[in-house]
Amino acid sequence: MKLVSWNVNGLRSCVTKGFLDYFREMDADLFCLQETKLQEGQIELELGESYSQYWNYAVKKGYSGTAVFSKIKPLSVRYGIEEDFEEEGRILTLEFESFYLVNVYTPNAKRDLSRLDYRLEWEDRFRHYLLQLDALKPVVVCGDLNVAHRELDIKNAKSNIGSSGFTDEERGKFTELLAAGFVDTFRYLYPDRGDVYSWWSFMPKVRERNIGWRIDYFLVSARLAPAITEAEVHTQVLGSDHCPVSVTLALE
């Protein structure tokens, strides 16, 4: 089973930059998006009869939002954490026969860290939610988690310590999530591979020089780790300030 995740930073813009070509090339069973930045009715994607489309829109126009395109009909779909109304459209959960898929766009702490306290509280609620699901069946989590976990996951680690997305607090919450029973699929296969990033600033020459952060992930319940056959970061794919990430799992 092939799964793809991509923070498209505005789907309407990304569609003009080759999104559909990449989508068709990957032919994924599940294709997840973050930062769609649109409302219902603002786009019509012709993805073919194989795919069902599920959208979680933010109330605020042109902001946040998630989507999942699935070849497999889910048993259920949840919008937000549990049944709570979640106005930023950050979480979509699809239940399948043998696992839950959770597509997430984690809140940014903001450059001045003014949203750090909210971010840390959100992390605790999100981890609790995943553990509730994991108690029922294995979980696959994907999306923009807005944190570079290890120094290996960021080009200029020392100069970014304490920056949004690389604070001790945010990195600590990621460590807590892994300790709670989840596996970073890329690091599971490539524990020491460096210079592989999924986000680059729009500043000139930054992407060309590969000055990036790895903040987009596929995580799985630890008991699914033996099913991981490939985990990739598609750095060559343009169209957003993020690139897609993917995982292949030996699941029915």
Side-chain angles (χ1 to χ4, degrees):
M1 180 178 292
K2 182 186 293 184
L3 301 89
V4 175
S5 175
W6 193 3
N7 180 325
V8 292
N9 193 15
L11 181 56
R12 286 171 292 181
S13 174
C14 195
V15 163
T16 69
K17 300 172 183 175
F19 170 83
L20 288 172
D21 291 336
Y22 175 75
F23 176 84
R24 294 182 183 117
E25 175 189 340
M26 290 304 290
D27 191 30
D29 297 289
L30 292 160
F31 200 111
C32 303
L33 305 181
Q34 304 87 43
E35 271 203 286
T36 53
K37 292 186 175 180
L38 46 77
Q39 312 302 121
E40 186 172 7
Q42 289 190 312
I43 196 169
E44 288 190 17
L45 286 180
E46 298 296 333
L47 303 180
E49 295 181 359
S50 298
Y51 288 94
S52 298
Q53 302 182 27
Y54 304 93
W55 302 82
N56 194 2
Y57 305 102
V59 172
K60 181 179 177 181
K61 293 182 178 179
Y63 178 75
S64 190
T66 48
V68 176
F69 309 139
S70 177
K71 285 186 177 182
I72 312 159
K73 184 175 177 58
L75 302 177
S76 67
V77 181
R78 296 185 194 178
Y79 302 83
I81 292 180
E82 297 174 325
E83 298 303 323
D84 295 343
F85 176 68
E86 189 265 304
E87 66 179 16
E88 295 186 353
R90 292 184 177 274
I91 301 174
L92 261 175
T93 303
L94 276 63
E95 179 187 4
F96 299 103
E97 193 69 38
S98 59
F99 68 98
Y100 287 101
L101 172 74
V102 181
N103 178 27
V104 61
Y105 174 43
T106 300
N108 192 304
K110 293 194 173 181
R111 180 168 296 203
D112 62 359
L113 302 183
S114 60
R115 216 182 187 197
L116 180 60
D117 287 344
Y118 169 75
R119 161 71 180 265
L120 299 178
E121 182 270 334
W122 191 95
E123 292 274 9
D124 288 338
R125 284 192 296 120
F126 184 60
R127 185 177 65 256
H128 179 67
Y129 174 60
L130 295 181
L131 289 173
Q132 286 182 315
L133 296 179
D134 188 58
L136 301 174
K137 61 180 72 173
V139 181
V140 176
V141 185
C142 71
D144 175 1
L145 301 190
N146 258 319
V147 61
H149 183 220
R150 296 168 53 188
E151 291 191 3
L152 198 60
D153 298 316
I154 184 171
K155 184 67 171 183
N156 295 319
K158 288 182 171 52
S159 62
N160 278 292
I161 290 174
S163 298
S164 175
F166 201 59
T167 62
D168 289 343
E169 295 89 343
E170 291 165 299
R171 296 168 67 194
K173 290 299 181 186
F174 193 97
T175 298
E176 283 186 55
L177 181 56
L178 297 183
F182 293 90
V183 170
D184 175 349
T185 60
F186 184 79
R187 284 286 168 240
Y188 180 79
L189 294 182
Y190 310 108
D192 300 313
R193 182 180 292 182
D195 291 326
V196 179
Y197 309 118
S198 65
W199 175 81
W200 303 263
S201 162
F202 279 128
M203 295 289 287
K205 303 296 183 182
V206 166
R207 188 158 183 172
E208 290 87 337
R209 294 163 60 198
N210 198 28
I211 304 173
W213 301 42
R214 191 176 73 94
I215 59 176
D216 301 88
Y217 297 86
F218 269 98
L219 310 179
V220 298
S221 296
R223 60 193 184 279
L224 285 184
I228 303 167
T229 60
E230 186 54 276
E232 298 179 273
V233 182
H234 299 260
T235 57
Q236 78 283 2
V237 178
L238 306 178
S240 169
D241 53 343
H242 295 249
C243 74
V245 297
S246 67
V247 67
T248 304
L249 301 173
L251 298 175
E252 295 183 1

